[in-house]
């Protein structure tokens, strides 16, 4: 099992540790609901060192990425971030990633933890197949440490340690700065639906920043947050989780990633996706709220008119909304908000209603 | 730290308690140690009144934000009352697992089955060993 450089700190904080994609990760420190509320109302600190960082650089970096990413990255400014997926020839999702343009010919692809190796070899395979010799694909994951600081007080807390004025850093933008005088890449982005930051630095220095943020933030209500609350936060915000809500058998058009898929350009999978769009989709990922008592969970079956029609991909009790919600695949014909579906929970079927995503939107 | 396990009841190895209420009935719930392991309980699925269960068969479900756990019946018998309060306030199990957080009352098929359960001292010993 792999451990992040912060592992010993999690154990010292009394965290419960679970296996997540081959990594020993904290699922909760105190309890999921408290950590969730801390992030929504004050601030939460997350160990994200397990995620992958792939650097793509050289004169043909743009050309390679334009081919492997579904998103059109033409016009992406230096410092700007774009969310995208990578698809295989059939249009199935290999991973969902954030793409940072760091320089004229330099990009950083941030991948999910369990998919990094496969992403890396996929990009390398495509590089060779396209005969692109003037671009390098580098795995920076092992030497990169990453923590997320999320929540309404995150800016106030991070500003105490950052060299540059964070108020001028826009949403989905990144800048090279210093945190406690340590060179770091900081972006205004995250996976919680709150204002917040993702902080990247050298693996061996990340612990110093983690410790200092906790030291200065705890009095303001900052808490370390485990994967349990990370999951409830992202689900409330209508964000999907790779491996849970999507995988290689699912296309971006069927989930909430149509908007990051540009079928005007050519990329791996674009031909298949155009065809699929033309033929019409069979299923769609939707959000739902439970109307009857019960909590839908990943893998539970979805029924409509006594026929099995789909499956729940994510489901939980959400601490902010204090109700049970989830995401499920349903036939397109039954995907309209307001439609009732039934979810098999153990020996009974419970009524749920399809609703618009996200479930939660922060007040600005 | 969990609360001490009261000596006025019996315990199962699956972390349920059963308190003899006389006339062949018991009141049951999960232990404080169990609620501590589960942390934030957000849903309790109560058994139907009249449901017949065998000793150590699943009879109810307790869910935290991240987990779904069966609750096993400490005795064989019939469910005669359930704690409706838990439908609206499942967190009561976290707050008071041995008291207000009780789950159901059962009429026992065979009161001798209580002898298959542990007393408080043995249960306390068992959870101490689990931690090592």
């Amino acid at each position: 099992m792999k451990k992040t450089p912060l592992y010993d700190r999690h154990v010292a904080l009394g965290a419960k540790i679970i296996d997540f994609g081959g990594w020993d990760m904290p699922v909760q420190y105190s309890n999921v609901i408290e950590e969730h509320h801390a992030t929504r109302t004050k601030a939460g600190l997350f160990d994200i060192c397990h995620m992958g960082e792939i650097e793509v650089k050289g004169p043909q970096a743009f050309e390679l990425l334009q081919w492997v990413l579904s998103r059109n990255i033409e016009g992406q400014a230096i410092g700007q971030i774009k969310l995208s997926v990578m698809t295989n020839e059939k249009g199935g999702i290999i991973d969902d990633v954030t793409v940072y343009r760091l320089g004229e010919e330099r990009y950083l692809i941030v991948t999910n933890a369990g998919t990094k190796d496969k992403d890396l070899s996929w990009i390398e395979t495509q590089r060779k197949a396209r005969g692109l010799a003037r671009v390098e694909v580098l795995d920076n994951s092992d030497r990169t440490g990453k923590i997320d600081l999320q929540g309404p007080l995150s800016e106030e807390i991070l500003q105490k340690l950052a060299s540059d004025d964070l108020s001028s850093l826009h949403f989905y933008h990144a800048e090279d700065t210093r945190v406690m005088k340590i060179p770091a890449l900081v972006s205004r982005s995250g996976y919680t639906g709150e204002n917040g930051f993702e902080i990247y630095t050298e693996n061996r220095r990340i612990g110093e920043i983690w410790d200092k943020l906790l030291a200065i933030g705890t009095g303001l209500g900052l808490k370390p947050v485990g994967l349990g609350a990370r999951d409830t936060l992202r689900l409330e915000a209508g964000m999907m989780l790779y491996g849970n809500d999507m995988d290689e058998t699912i296309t971006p058009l069927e989930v909430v990633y149509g908007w990051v898929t540009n079928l005007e350009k050519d990329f791996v999978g674009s031909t298949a996706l155009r065809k699929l769009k033309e033929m019409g989709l069979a299923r769609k990922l939707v959000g739902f709220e439970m109307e009857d008592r019960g909590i839908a969970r990943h893998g539970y079956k979805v029924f409509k008119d006594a026929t099995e029609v789909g499956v729940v991909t994510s489901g939980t009790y959400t601490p902010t909304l204090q109700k049970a919600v989830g995401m499920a695949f349903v036939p397109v014909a039954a995907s309209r908000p307001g439609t009732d579906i039934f979810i098999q929970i153990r020996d009974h079927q419970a009524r749920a209603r399809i609703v618009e995503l996200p479930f939660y939107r922060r007040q600005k | 730290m969990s609360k001490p396990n009261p000596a006025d009841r019996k315990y199962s190895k699956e972390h349920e308690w059963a308190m003899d209420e006389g006339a062949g009935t018991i009141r049951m719930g999960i232990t404080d140690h169990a609620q501590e392991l589960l942390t934030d309980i957000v849903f309790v699925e109560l058994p139907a009144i009249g449901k017949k269960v065998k000793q150590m068969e699943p009879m109810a479900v307790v869910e935290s934000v991240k987990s779904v756990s069966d609750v096993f019946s400490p005795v064989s018998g019939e469910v005669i009352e359930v704690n409706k309060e838990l439908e609206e306030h499942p967190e009561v199990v976290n707050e008071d697992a041995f008291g207000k957080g009780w789950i159901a009352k059962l009429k026992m098929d065979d009161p001798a089955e209580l002898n298959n359960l542990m007393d408080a001292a043995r249960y306390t010993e068992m959870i101490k060993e689990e931690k090592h």
Side-chain angles (χ1 to χ4, degrees), chain A residues 243-257:
Chain A
N244 231 54
D245 303 306
M246 57 188 151
D247 56 33
E248 293 191 15
T249 67
I250 290 156
T251 69
L253 304 181
E254 296 162 299
V255 297
V256 197
Y257 279 152

Side-chain angles (χ1 to χ4, degrees), chain A residues 28 32 231 297 316 346 348, chain B residues 39-40 45 63-65:
Chain A
Q28 63 186 62
V32 174
D231 195 51
R297 305 280 184 177
T316 191
R346 294 177 283 278
H348 66 281
Chain B
T39 64
D40 37 44
E45 189 172 280
E63 300 194 30
S64 71
V65 175

Side-chain angles (χ1 to χ4, degrees), chain A residues 106-125:
Chain A
R106 200 158 75 87
Y107 294 85
L108 183 70
I109 311 294
V110 182
T111 77
N112 281 293
T115 49
K116 186 264 291 173
D117 290 336
K118 133 184 129 161
D119 293 358
L120 192 67
S121 64
W122 174 256
I123 298 171
E124 192 52 28
T125 303

Side-chain angles (χ1 to χ4, degrees), chain A residues 229-297:
Chain A
R230 186 167 165 85
D231 195 51
T232 53
L233 288 159
R234 68 93 190 164
L235 185 53
E236 279 186 353
M239 296 166 175
M240 297 175 287
L241 173 62
Y242 191 83
N244 231 54
D245 303 306
M246 57 188 151
D247 56 33
E248 293 191 15
T249 67
I250 290 156
T251 69
L253 304 181
E254 296 162 299
V255 297
V256 197
Y257 279 152
W259 68 280
V260 303
T261 305
N262 187 317
L263 297 179
E264 316 263 287
K265 71 160 193 174
D266 286 323
F267 61 94
V268 192
S270 60
T271 308
L273 289 169
R274 276 185 214 115
K275 201 175 205 174
L276 181 70
K277 196 175 179 183
E278 210 178 283
M279 282 167 37
L281 303 173
R283 62 185 173 180
K284 205 179 151 194
L285 190 77
V286 295
F288 65 83
E289 280 179 14
M290 295 304 298
E291 303 217 303
D292 289 343
R293 298 186 70 246
I295 302 171
R297 305 280 184 177

